Amino acid sequence: MLFPLTGPGAGLAFFVVGGVGVGAGVVAANIITDTFRQRYCPPDLIGRVSASAAVISFGAIAVGGLLGGVLGELSGVRETMWMMTGMYTLATVALVCSPIRKLRDFPESDESLRAAEAEKAVP
């Protein structure tokens, strides 16, 4: 959200701080999503699930770059960055107001759920 504030001279600090923040967020998100995949997916499907997630993710990056370029051309680069800042804010508000906010643990995998149900069924 600091990128639109970037300017010449000392204004470059906004770019540096924003870039470090984005980098840290990407690393944290990758760790969380990879941990979820490894805990939830059966071992024989992890490769397929990871490959599918990569295709979707990299495809979204390409589409986002194209849309960002079109918006930048139509309305200006700084205005497009302000629009994206507003979209990030809306996405954050949507997540904070959703039931996802209350979740603290990963869901159990199907195998562990079946094992727990089998233990309960045994008298």
Side-chain angles (χ1 to χ4, degrees):
M1 293 184 167
L2 296 175
F3 290 148
L5 300 173
T6 300
L12 289 176
F14 290 118
F15 180 81
V16 172
V17 173
V20 169
V22 167
V26 167
V27 168
N30 286 340
I31 291 169
I32 291 168
T33 55
D34 287 347
T35 301
F36 172 75
R37 277 190 213 115
Q38 290 174 357
R39 286 194 60 191
Y40 193 75
C41 297
D44 56 331
L45 293 179
I46 287 178
R48 285 180 242 175
V49 170
S50 296
S52 299
V55 167
I56 292 169
S57 177
F58 291 128
I61 290 170
V63 171
L66 180 64
L67 291 176
V70 169
L71 276 174
E73 185 67 31
L74 293 175
S75 64
V77 174
R78 193 168 302 272
E79 290 77 11
T80 300
M81 291 193 323
W82 279 115
M83 283 186 244
M84 293 313 302
T85 298
M87 296 298 287
Y88 285 139
T89 304
L90 288 175
T92 302
V93 168
L95 284 173
V96 167
C97 295
S98 76
I100 292 174
R101 189 187 91 159
K102 297 176 183 169
L103 298 176
R104 296 288 180 238
D105 296 319
F106 287 124
E108 295 295 325
S109 68
D110 288 340
E111 292 174 13
S112 61
L113 288 175
R114 282 190 217 120
E117 289 173 1
E119 288 177 14
K120 290 179 185 177
V122 176

